[in-house]
């Protein structure tokens, strides 16, 4: 009995010893950590770039690329193979792109194959086959495609004539080789043609504002031609202007352009008589981010005219070239400004005169303007003004009733308030703020005025106006603009009080700060080739940034896979790309994968580190605005780019629903103005 007990004890020890040895092997293989669920709810997708990979008989290192869509942080891919002739197998992943790297040993015998398995937790495993040719043979190279034989580039002809009866510029155009795939058309003032570049280069530059011919017109161009096509209708401000009509045709084999010169109108059936036109006074003023020109006629007989605004230094050069003869300059630049509308002429003839207002992003720029006016008999007067001094608002009364125009807007992080004292007679002011629900309770107990009085005693909820705040509030062209920090989603109410010796007025605005934008992104990711095609061909022009786009753009060079500031910038780019999607292109370049564009940009602009944020304005000028910028500051840079000054003139547009007697001037290009009137 004792022997049996001893035997069972020995067997039990052996069984548990074997079991313990078996468990030690399992302990060496630890299960992969379970990743946190993807907050977006998207599952990973593992994709190989191919199913077969051939290697030479000599062997060596080889790799197969793969991608992981929706990768999960903390999860790494694994690769394995049961064939001993594939060694050192490893899977590498950087962001969503990776590769399987291995070494094939030299083949001494027949051709052979091996299967490599790639795994990524949460996805189906994928396989690819590695084929190695037999010893002494090499895989047959794929035949190189035969180069296509170049075809014939298009050839075009164009002529332009002014039809006095129809008062329109007519053009005839034809592609004699009948092989144009695309055609661009433009009509520009002759002064806009840059003789230092070819017509082809000019037409493909943003400065041409060329229009693409429709499929219907392209077919006609390739057929019997476009004949007696109305291009630009004559208007009084264009009379006598020398213009150039240009057609550019392209196909895969080449491109060519042709031009035709013409004159719109006859320069006026009644030539202007200098010095006998209306009597006008014309003055210019500059302030913070604004320029103001005032015009008034003492003879009250202005019937037509135009205003031309430009850089003062540019006008000085034009004037010097004309021997300081303003009438000669008026002849030279006729039609390149903004025509005065009939309502504007009436205001110039009125008792208060006419005011032209221009937002200017750069207060250091000095602008000048030339006003050319005619009476009903076409007698002309030329007036000139420089905006180089601050306008002092006229002294206002410190008595009488007060009227307030109080408005506001909110983003996710900023409240922007604007105050106008429309009666221009306030001498003091206060701003107060409170959460909307709390202010409603205060008002319910009394009135807006009593709530304002209570808030004025709370230093954290009110601010007394500085003296220059009062002056701005009384200025009908400037107004008082104030900004306060906001928090996404909060509801805030603001009270403003303006007062003088006779009393006060309180106004209220309720605002809700926006939630951070989470909508559709309009940001486009570029590789080096797309950057070269759409933005700047840095290989062809490494020492000069030559913009290839046709509207402003924002460039973001970064590495969002690991750069914290780059990740912070992403939602800002997304939000503003949606906000400006019809005006500005937004591009991002991942410097981890596309280094060529960034290295050349870095070398030219002297930048270092990432992210690098740059804005290209509508004239093709590129400006590095920093690394990370919050939405409000990047929005300001974008607006500056959209309002970038072009040479010569600006356009004037009447202000809608605006009680003050002025029109707002925005950036204007004489070439674009001509193309906006194009009848194509």
């Amino acid at each position: 009995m004792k022997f049996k007990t001893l035997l069972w004890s020995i067997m039990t020890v052996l069984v548990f010893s074997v079991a313990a040895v078996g468990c030690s092997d399992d302990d060496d293989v630890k299960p992969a950590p379970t990743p946190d669920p993807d907050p977006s709810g998207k599952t990973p997708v593992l994709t190989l770039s191919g199913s077969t990979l051939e290697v030479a008989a000599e062997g060596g290192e080889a790799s197969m690329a793969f991608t992981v869509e929706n990768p999960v942080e903390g999860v790494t891919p694994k690769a394995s193979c049961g064939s001993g002739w594939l060694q050192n197998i490893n899977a590498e992943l950087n962001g969503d792109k990776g590769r399987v790297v291995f070494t094939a040993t030299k083949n001494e015998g027949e051709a052979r194959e091996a299967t490599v398995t790639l795994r990524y937790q949460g996805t189906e495993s994928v396989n690819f086959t590695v084929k190695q040719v037999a010893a002494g043979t090499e895989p047959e190279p794929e035949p190189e495609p035969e180069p296509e034989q170049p075809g014939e580039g298009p050839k075009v002809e164009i002529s332009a004539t002014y039809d006095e009866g129809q008062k329109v510029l007519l053009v005839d155009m034809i592609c004699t080789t009948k092989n144009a795939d695309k055609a661009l058309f433009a009509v520009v003032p002759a002064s806009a043609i840059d003789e230092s570049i070819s017509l082809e280069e000019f037409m493909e530059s943003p400065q041409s504002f060329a229009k693409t011919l429709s499929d219907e017109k392209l077919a006609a161009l390739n057929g019997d031609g476009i004949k007696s096509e109305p291009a630009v209708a004559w208007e009084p401000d264009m009379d006598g202007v020398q213009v150039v009509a240009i057609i550019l045709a392209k196909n895969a084999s080449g491109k060519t352009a042709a031009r035709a010169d013409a004159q719109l109108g006859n320069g006026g059936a009644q030539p202007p008589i200098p010095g006998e036109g209306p009597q006008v006074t014309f003055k210019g003023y500059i302030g913070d981010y604004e320029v103001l020109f005032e015009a008034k006629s003492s003879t009250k007989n202005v019937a037509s005219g135009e205003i031309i605004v430009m850089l003062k230094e540019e006008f000085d050069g034009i004037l010097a070239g004309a021997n300081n003869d303003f009438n000669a300059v008026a002849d030279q630049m006729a039609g390149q400004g903004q025509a005065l509308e009939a309502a504007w002429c009436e205001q110039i003839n009125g008792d208060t005169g006419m005011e032209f207002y221009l937002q200017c992003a750069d207060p250091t720029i000095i602008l000048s303007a030339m006003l050319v006016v005619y009476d009903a008999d076409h007698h002309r007067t030329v007036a000139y003004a420089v905006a180089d001094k601050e306008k002092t608002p006229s002294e206002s009364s410190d008595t009488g009733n007060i009227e307030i125009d109080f408005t506001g807007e909110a983003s996710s992080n900023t409240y922007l308030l604007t105050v106008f004292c429309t009666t221009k007679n306030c001498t003091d002011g206060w701003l107060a703020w409170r959460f909307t629900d709390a202010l409603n309770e205060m008002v319910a107990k009394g009135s807006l005025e009593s709530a304002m009085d209570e808030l004025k005693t709370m230093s954290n909820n009110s601010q007394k106006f500085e003296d220059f705040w009062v002056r701005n509030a009384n200025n009908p062209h400037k107004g008082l603009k104030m900004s306060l920090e906001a928090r996404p989603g909060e509801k805030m109410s603001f009270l403003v009080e303006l007062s003088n010796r006779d009393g006060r007025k309180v106004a209220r605005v309720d605002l809700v700060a926006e939630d951070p934008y989470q909508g559709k992104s309009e940001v486009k990711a570029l590789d080096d080739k797309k950057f070269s095609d759409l933005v700047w061909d840095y290989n062809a022009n490494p020492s000069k940034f030559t913009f290839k786009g046709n509207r402003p753009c924002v460039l973001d060079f970064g590495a969002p896979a690991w750069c914290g500031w780059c990740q912070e910038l992403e939602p800002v780019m997304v939000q503003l790309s949606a906000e400006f999607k019809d005006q500005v292109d937004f591009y991002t370049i991942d410097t981890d994968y596309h280094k060529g564009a960034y290295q050349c940009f870095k070398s030219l602009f002297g930048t270092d580190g990432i992210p690098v944020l740059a804005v290209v304005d509508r004239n093709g000028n590129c400006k590095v605005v920093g690394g990370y910028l919050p939405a409000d500051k990047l929005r300001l840079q974008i607006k500056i780019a959209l309002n970038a000054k072009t040479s010569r003139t600006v356009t004037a547009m009447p202000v809608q629903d605006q009680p003050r007697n002025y029109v707002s001037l925005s950036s204007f290009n004489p070439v674009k103005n001509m193309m906006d009137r194009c009848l194509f």
Side-chain angles (χ1 to χ4, degrees), residues 105-150:
T105 61
K106 183 177 181 181
N107 190 2
E108 302 289 354
E110 299 297 324
R112 54 188 178 182
E113 297 183 0
T115 299
V116 177
T117 300
L118 178 64
R119 298 179 178 85
Y120 189 85
Q121 186 172 338
T123 70
E124 295 288 339
S125 61
V126 293
N127 300 323
F128 65 92
T129 302
V130 181
K131 296 181 179 181
Q132 188 176 38
V133 298
T137 62
E138 294 294 338
E140 294 184 4
E142 295 183 5
E144 295 185 3
E146 295 183 3
E148 295 183 5
Q149 296 297 321

CSV table of all heavy atoms in Angstrom, one decimal, residues 105-150:
chain,number,residue,atom,x,y,z
A,105,THR,N,17.5,34.9,-49.4
A,105,THR,CA,18.8,34.3,-49.6
A,105,THR,C,19.0,33.9,-51.1
A,105,THR,O,18.1,33.9,-51.9
A,105,THR,CB,18.9,33.0,-48.7
A,105,THR,OG1,17.9,32.1,-49.2
A,105,THR,CG2,18.7,33.4,-47.3
A,106,LYS,N,20.2,33.7,-51.4
A,106,LYS,CA,20.6,33.4,-52.8
A,106,LYS,C,20.0,32.0,-53.2
A,106,LYS,O,20.0,31.0,-52.4
A,106,LYS,CB,22.1,33.3,-53.0
A,106,LYS,CG,22.6,33.1,-54.4
A,106,LYS,CD,24.1,33.2,-54.5
A,106,LYS,CE,24.5,32.9,-55.9
A,106,LYS,NZ,26.0,33.0,-56.0
A,107,ASN,N,19.4,31.9,-54.4
A,107,ASN,CA,18.8,30.7,-54.9
A,107,ASN,C,19.9,29.9,-55.6
A,107,ASN,O,20.4,30.3,-56.6
A,107,ASN,CB,17.6,31.0,-55.8
A,107,ASN,CG,16.8,29.7,-56.1
A,107,ASN,OD1,17.1,28.7,-55.6
A,107,ASN,ND2,15.8,29.9,-56.9
A,108,GLU,N,20.1,28.6,-55.2
A,108,GLU,CA,21.1,27.7,-55.9
A,108,GLU,C,20.4,26.7,-56.7
A,108,GLU,O,21.0,25.9,-57.4
A,108,GLU,CB,21.9,27.0,-54.8
A,108,GLU,CG,22.7,27.9,-53.9
A,108,GLU,CD,23.8,28.7,-54.6
A,108,GLU,OE1,24.1,28.4,-55.8
A,108,GLU,OE2,24.5,29.6,-54.0
A,109,GLY,N,19.0,26.7,-56.7
A,109,GLY,CA,18.3,25.6,-57.5
A,109,GLY,C,17.2,26.2,-58.3
A,109,GLY,O,17.3,27.2,-59.0
A,110,GLU,N,16.1,25.4,-58.3
A,110,GLU,CA,14.9,25.8,-59.1
A,110,GLU,C,14.2,27.0,-58.5
A,110,GLU,O,14.4,27.4,-57.4
A,110,GLU,CB,13.9,24.5,-59.1
A,110,GLU,CG,14.5,23.3,-59.8
A,110,GLU,CD,14.9,23.5,-61.2
A,110,GLU,OE1,14.2,24.2,-61.9
A,110,GLU,OE2,15.9,22.9,-61.7
A,111,ALA,N,13.3,27.5,-59.4
A,111,ALA,CA,12.5,28.6,-59.0
A,111,ALA,C,11.6,28.2,-57.8
A,111,ALA,O,11.2,27.1,-57.6
A,111,ALA,CB,11.6,29.1,-60.1
A,112,ARG,N,11.4,29.2,-56.9
A,112,ARG,CA,10.6,28.9,-55.7
A,112,ARG,C,9.7,30.0,-55.3
A,112,ARG,O,9.9,31.2,-55.7
A,112,ARG,CB,11.6,28.5,-54.5
A,112,ARG,CG,12.6,29.6,-54.3
A,112,ARG,CD,13.7,29.1,-53.2
A,112,ARG,NE,14.7,30.1,-53.0
A,112,ARG,CZ,15.8,29.9,-52.2
A,112,ARG,NH1,15.9,28.7,-51.6
A,112,ARG,NH2,16.7,30.8,-52.0
A,113,GLU,N,8.7,29.7,-54.4
A,113,GLU,CA,7.8,30.7,-54.0
A,113,GLU,C,7.6,30.5,-52.5
A,113,GLU,O,7.8,29.5,-51.9
A,113,GLU,CB,6.4,30.5,-54.6
A,113,GLU,CG,6.4,30.7,-56.1
A,113,GLU,CD,5.0,30.5,-56.7
A,113,GLU,OE1,4.1,30.2,-55.9
A,113,GLU,OE2,4.8,30.6,-57.9
A,114,ALA,N,7.2,31.7,-51.8
A,114,ALA,CA,6.9,31.7,-50.4
A,114,ALA,C,5.8,32.6,-50.2
A,114,ALA,O,5.6,33.6,-50.9
A,114,ALA,CB,8.1,32.1,-49.6
A,115,THR,N,5.0,32.3,-49.1
A,115,THR,CA,3.8,33.2,-48.8
A,115,THR,C,4.1,33.9,-47.5
A,115,THR,O,4.5,33.3,-46.5
A,115,THR,CB,2.6,32.3,-48.6
A,115,THR,OG1,2.2,31.7,-49.8
A,115,THR,CG2,1.4,33.2,-48.2
A,116,VAL,N,3.9,35.3,-47.6
A,116,VAL,CA,4.2,36.1,-46.4
A,116,VAL,C,2.8,36.6,-45.9
A,116,VAL,O,1.9,37.0,-46.7
A,116,VAL,CB,5.0,37.3,-46.8
A,116,VAL,CG1,5.2,38.3,-45.6
A,116,VAL,CG2,6.4,36.9,-47.3
A,117,THR,N,2.6,36.5,-44.6
A,117,THR,CA,1.3,36.9,-44.0
A,117,THR,C,1.5,38.1,-43.2
A,117,THR,O,2.4,38.2,-42.4
A,117,THR,CB,0.7,35.7,-43.1
A,117,THR,OG1,0.5,34.6,-43.9
A,117,THR,CG2,-0.6,36.2,-42.5
A,118,LEU,N,0.6,39.1,-43.4
A,118,LEU,CA,0.7,40.4,-42.7
A,118,LEU,C,-0.6,40.5,-41.8
A,118,LEU,O,-1.7,40.3,-42.3
A,118,LEU,CB,0.8,41.6,-43.6
A,118,LEU,CG,0.8,43.0,-43.0
A,118,LEU,CD1,2.0,43.1,-42.2
A,118,LEU,CD2,0.7,44.0,-44.1
A,119,ARG,N,-0.4,40.8,-40.5
A,119,ARG,CA,-1.6,40.9,-39.6
A,119,ARG,C,-1.6,42.3,-38.9
A,119,ARG,O,-0.5,42.9,-38.7
A,119,ARG,CB,-1.5,39.8,-38.5
A,119,ARG,CG,-1.5,38.4,-39.0
A,119,ARG,CD,-1.4,37.4,-37.9
A,119,ARG,NE,-1.5,36.0,-38.3
A,119,ARG,CZ,-0.4,35.3,-38.8
A,119,ARG,NH1,0.8,35.9,-38.9
A,119,ARG,NH2,-0.6,34.1,-39.2
A,120,TYR,N,-2.8,42.7,-38.7
A,120,TYR,CA,-3.0,44.0,-38.0
A,120,TYR,C,-4.3,43.8,-37.1
A,120,TYR,O,-5.3,43.5,-37.7
A,120,TYR,CB,-3.2,45.2,-38.9
A,120,TYR,CG,-3.2,46.5,-38.2
A,120,TYR,CD1,-2.0,47.2,-37.9
A,120,TYR,CD2,-4.4,47.1,-37.8
A,120,TYR,CE1,-2.0,48.4,-37.3
A,120,TYR,CE2,-4.4,48.4,-37.2
A,120,TYR,CZ,-3.2,49.0,-36.9
A,120,TYR,OH,-3.2,50.2,-36.3
A,121,GLN,N,-4.1,44.0,-35.8
A,121,GLN,CA,-5.2,43.7,-34.9
A,121,GLN,C,-6.5,44.4,-35.3
A,121,GLN,O,-6.5,45.6,-35.6
A,121,GLN,CB,-4.9,44.0,-33.5
A,121,GLN,CG,-5.9,43.6,-32.5
A,121,GLN,CD,-5.4,43.8,-31.1
A,121,GLN,OE1,-4.2,43.8,-30.8
A,121,GLN,NE2,-6.3,43.9,-30.1
A,122,GLY,N,-7.6,43.7,-35.4
A,122,GLY,CA,-8.9,44.3,-35.7
A,122,GLY,C,-9.2,44.2,-37.2
A,122,GLY,O,-10.3,44.6,-37.7
A,123,THR,N,-8.3,43.6,-38.0
A,123,THR,CA,-8.6,43.4,-39.5
A,123,THR,C,-8.3,42.0,-39.9
A,123,THR,O,-7.7,41.2,-39.1
A,123,THR,CB,-7.6,44.3,-40.3
A,123,THR,OG1,-6.3,43.8,-40.2
A,123,THR,CG2,-7.7,45.8,-39.8
A,124,GLU,N,-8.7,41.6,-41.1
A,124,GLU,CA,-8.4,40.3,-41.6
A,124,GLU,C,-6.9,40.3,-42.1
A,124,GLU,O,-6.5,41.3,-42.6
A,124,GLU,CB,-9.3,40.0,-42.8
A,124,GLU,CG,-10.8,39.9,-42.5
A,124,GLU,CD,-11.1,38.6,-41.8
A,124,GLU,OE1,-10.3,37.6,-41.9
A,124,GLU,OE2,-12.1,38.5,-41.1
A,125,SER,N,-6.2,39.2,-41.8
A,125,SER,CA,-4.8,39.1,-42.3
A,125,SER,C,-4.8,39.1,-43.8
A,125,SER,O,-5.8,38.6,-44.4
A,125,SER,CB,-4.2,37.9,-41.7
A,125,SER,OG,-4.8,36.7,-42.1
A,126,VAL,N,-3.7,39.5,-44.4
A,126,VAL,CA,-3.6,39.5,-45.9
A,126,VAL,C,-2.2,38.8,-46.2
A,126,VAL,O,-1.3,38.8,-45.4
A,126,VAL,CB,-3.6,40.9,-46.4
A,126,VAL,CG1,-4.9,41.6,-46.3
A,126,VAL,CG2,-2.5,41.8,-45.8
A,127,ASN,N,-2.2,38.2,-47.4
A,127,ASN,CA,-1.0,37.4,-47.8
A,127,ASN,C,-0.5,38.0,-49.2
A,127,ASN,O,-1.3,38.5,-50.0
A,127,ASN,CB,-1.4,35.9,-48.0
A,127,ASN,CG,-1.9,35.3,-46.7
A,127,ASN,OD1,-1.4,35.6,-45.7
A,127,ASN,ND2,-2.8,34.4,-46.8
A,128,PHE,N,0.8,37.8,-49.4
A,128,PHE,CA,1.3,38.1,-50.7
A,128,PHE,C,2.4,37.0,-51.0
A,128,PHE,O,3.0,36.4,-50.0
A,128,PHE,CB,1.9,39.5,-50.8
A,128,PHE,CG,3.1,39.8,-50.0
A,128,PHE,CD1,4.4,39.6,-50.5
A,128,PHE,CD2,2.9,40.3,-48.7
A,128,PHE,CE1,5.5,40.0,-49.7
A,128,PHE,CE2,4.0,40.6,-47.9
A,128,PHE,CZ,5.3,40.5,-48.4
A,129,THR,N,2.6,36.8,-52.3
A,129,THR,CA,3.5,35.7,-52.7
A,129,THR,C,4.9,36.3,-53.1
A,129,THR,O,4.9,37.3,-53.9
A,129,THR,CB,2.9,34.9,-53.8
A,129,THR,OG1,1.7,34.3,-53.4
A,129,THR,CG2,3.9,33.8,-54.2
A,130,VAL,N,6.0,35.8,-52.6
A,130,VAL,CA,7.3,36.2,-53.1
A,130,VAL,C,7.8,35.1,-54.0
A,130,VAL,O,7.9,33.9,-53.6
A,130,VAL,CB,8.2,36.4,-51.9
A,130,VAL,CG1,9.6,36.8,-52.4
A,130,VAL,CG2,7.7,37.4,-50.9
A,131,LYS,N,8.1,35.4,-55.2
A,131,LYS,CA,8.7,34.5,-56.2
A,131,LYS,C,10.1,34.8,-56.5
A,131,LYS,O,10.5,35.9,-56.8
A,131,LYS,CB,7.8,34.6,-57.5
A,131,LYS,CG,6.4,34.2,-57.4
A,131,LYS,CD,5.7,34.3,-58.7
A,131,LYS,CE,4.2,33.8,-58.6
A,131,LYS,NZ,3.5,33.9,-59.9
A,132,GLN,N,11.0,33.7,-56.5
A,132,GLN,CA,12.4,33.9,-56.8
A,132,GLN,C,12.7,33.0,-58.0
A,132,GLN,O,12.4,31.8,-57.9
A,132,GLN,CB,13.3,33.5,-55.6
A,132,GLN,CG,14.7,33.9,-55.8
A,132,GLN,CD,15.6,33.6,-54.5
A,132,GLN,OE1,15.3,32.6,-53.8
A,132,GLN,NE2,16.5,34.4,-54.3
A,133,VAL,N,13.3,33.5,-59.0
A,133,VAL,CA,13.6,32.8,-60.2
A,133,VAL,C,14.7,31.7,-59.9
A,133,VAL,O,15.4,31.8,-58.9
A,133,VAL,CB,14.0,33.7,-61.3
A,133,VAL,CG1,12.9,34.6,-61.7
A,133,VAL,CG2,15.3,34.5,-61.0
A,134,ALA,N,14.9,30.8,-60.8
A,134,ALA,CA,15.9,29.7,-60.6
A,134,ALA,C,17.3,30.3,-60.8
A,134,ALA,O,17.5,31.4,-61.3
A,134,ALA,CB,15.7,28.6,-61.7
A,135,ALA,N,18.3,29.6,-60.2
A,135,ALA,CA,19.6,30.0,-60.3
A,135,ALA,C,20.1,30.2,-61.8
A,135,ALA,O,19.7,29.4,-62.6
A,135,ALA,CB,20.6,29.0,-59.6
A,136,GLY,N,20.8,31.3,-62.0
A,136,GLY,CA,21.3,31.5,-63.4
A,136,GLY,C,20.3,32.3,-64.3
A,136,GLY,O,20.6,32.5,-65.5
A,137,THR,N,19.1,32.6,-63.8
A,137,THR,CA,18.1,33.3,-64.6
A,137,THR,C,17.7,34.6,-63.9
A,137,THR,O,17.8,34.7,-62.7
A,137,THR,CB,16.9,32.5,-64.9
A,137,THR,OG1,16.3,32.1,-63.6
A,137,THR,CG2,17.3,31.2,-65.6
A,138,GLU,N,17.2,35.5,-64.6
A,138,GLU,CA,16.7,36.7,-64.1
A,138,GLU,C,15.2,37.0,-64.6
A,138,GLU,O,14.9,36.5,-65.8
A,138,GLU,CB,17.5,37.9,-64.5
A,138,GLU,CG,18.9,37.9,-63.9
A,138,GLU,CD,18.9,38.0,-62.4
A,138,GLU,OE1,17.9,38.6,-61.9
A,138,GLU,OE2,19.9,37.6,-61.8
A,139,PRO,N,14.4,37.6,-63.9
A,139,PRO,CA,13.0,37.9,-64.4
A,139,PRO,C,13.1,38.8,-65.6
A,139,PRO,O,13.9,39.7,-65.7
A,139,PRO,CB,12.3,38.6,-63.2
A,139,PRO,CG,13.4,39.1,-62.4
A,139,PRO,CD,14.6,38.1,-62.5
A,140,GLU,N,12.3,38.5,-66.6
A,140,GLU,CA,12.3,39.3,-67.8
A,140,GLU,C,11.8,40.7,-67.5
A,140,GLU,O,10.7,40.9,-66.9
A,140,GLU,CB,11.4,38.7,-68.9
A,140,GLU,CG,11.9,37.4,-69.4
A,140,GLU,CD,11.1,36.8,-70.5
A,140,GLU,OE1,10.1,37.5,-70.9
A,140,GLU,OE2,11.3,35.7,-71.0
A,141,PRO,N,12.5,41.7,-67.9
A,141,PRO,CA,12.0,43.1,-67.6
A,141,PRO,C,10.8,43.4,-68.4
A,141,PRO,O,10.6,42.9,-69.5
A,141,PRO,CB,13.2,44.0,-68.0
A,141,PRO,CG,13.9,43.2,-69.1
A,141,PRO,CD,13.8,41.7,-68.6
A,142,GLU,N,9.9,44.2,-67.8
A,142,GLU,CA,8.7,44.6,-68.6
A,142,GLU,C,9.1,45.5,-69.7
A,142,GLU,O,10.0,46.4,-69.6
A,142,GLU,CB,7.8,45.4,-67.6
A,142,GLU,CG,7.2,44.5,-66.5
A,142,GLU,CD,6.2,45.3,-65.7
A,142,GLU,OE1,5.9,46.5,-66.1
A,142,GLU,OE2,5.7,44.8,-64.7
A,143,PRO,N,8.5,45.3,-70.9
A,143,PRO,CA,8.9,46.1,-72.0
A,143,PRO,C,8.5,47.6,-71.8
A,143,PRO,O,7.5,47.9,-71.3
A,143,PRO,CB,8.1,45.5,-73.2
A,143,PRO,CG,6.9,44.9,-72.5
A,143,PRO,CD,7.5,44.3,-71.2
A,144,GLU,N,9.4,48.5,-72.1
A,144,GLU,CA,9.2,49.9,-72.0
A,144,GLU,C,8.2,50.4,-73.0
A,144,GLU,O,8.3,50.0,-74.2
A,144,GLU,CB,10.4,50.7,-72.1
A,144,GLU,CG,11.5,50.5,-71.0
A,144,GLU,CD,12.7,51.4,-71.1
A,144,GLU,OE1,12.6,52.2,-72.1
A,144,GLU,OE2,13.6,51.3,-70.3
A,145,PRO,N,7.2,51.2,-72.6
A,145,PRO,CA,6.2,51.6,-73.6
A,145,PRO,C,6.9,52.5,-74.7
A,145,PRO,O,7.7,53.3,-74.4
A,145,PRO,CB,5.2,52.4,-72.8
A,145,PRO,CG,6.0,52.8,-71.6
A,145,PRO,CD,6.9,51.7,-71.3
A,146,GLU,N,6.4,52.3,-75.9
A,146,GLU,CA,7.0,53.1,-77.0
A,146,GLU,C,6.5,54.6,-76.8
A,146,GLU,O,5.3,54.8,-76.5
A,146,GLU,CB,6.5,52.6,-78.3
A,146,GLU,CG,7.1,51.2,-78.6
A,146,GLU,CD,6.6,50.7,-80.0
A,146,GLU,OE1,6.0,51.5,-80.7
A,146,GLU,OE2,6.9,49.6,-80.4
A,147,PRO,N,7.4,55.5,-76.9
A,147,PRO,CA,7.0,56.9,-76.7
A,147,PRO,C,6.0,57.3,-77.8
A,147,PRO,O,6.1,56.9,-79.0
A,147,PRO,CB,8.3,57.7,-76.9
A,147,PRO,CG,9.2,56.8,-77.7
A,147,PRO,CD,8.8,55.4,-77.3
A,148,GLU,N,5.0,58.1,-77.4
A,148,GLU,CA,4.0,58.5,-78.3
A,148,GLU,C,4.7,59.6,-79.3
A,148,GLU,O,5.5,60.4,-78.9
A,148,GLU,CB,2.9,59.2,-77.6
A,148,GLU,CG,2.1,58.2,-76.7
A,148,GLU,CD,0.9,58.9,-76.1
A,148,GLU,OE1,0.7,60.1,-76.4
A,148,GLU,OE2,0.2,58.3,-75.3
A,149,GLN,N,4.3,59.5,-80.5
A,149,GLN,CA,4.7,60.4,-81.5
A,149,GLN,C,4.0,61.7,-81.3
A,149,GLN,O,2.8,61.8,-81.2
A,149,GLN,CB,4.5,59.9,-82.9
A,149,GLN,CG,5.2,58.6,-83.2
A,149,GLN,CD,6.7,58.8,-83.2
A,149,GLN,OE1,7.3,59.9,-83.6
A,149,GLN,NE2,7.5,57.8,-82.7
A,150,PRO,N,4.8,62.8,-81.1
A,150,PRO,CA,4.2,64.1,-80.9
A,150,PRO,C,3.3,64.5,-82.1
A,150,PRO,O,3.6,64.3,-83.2
A,150,PRO,CB,5.4,65.1,-80.7
A,150,PRO,CG,6.5,64.4,-81.4
A,150,PRO,CD,6.3,62.9,-81.3
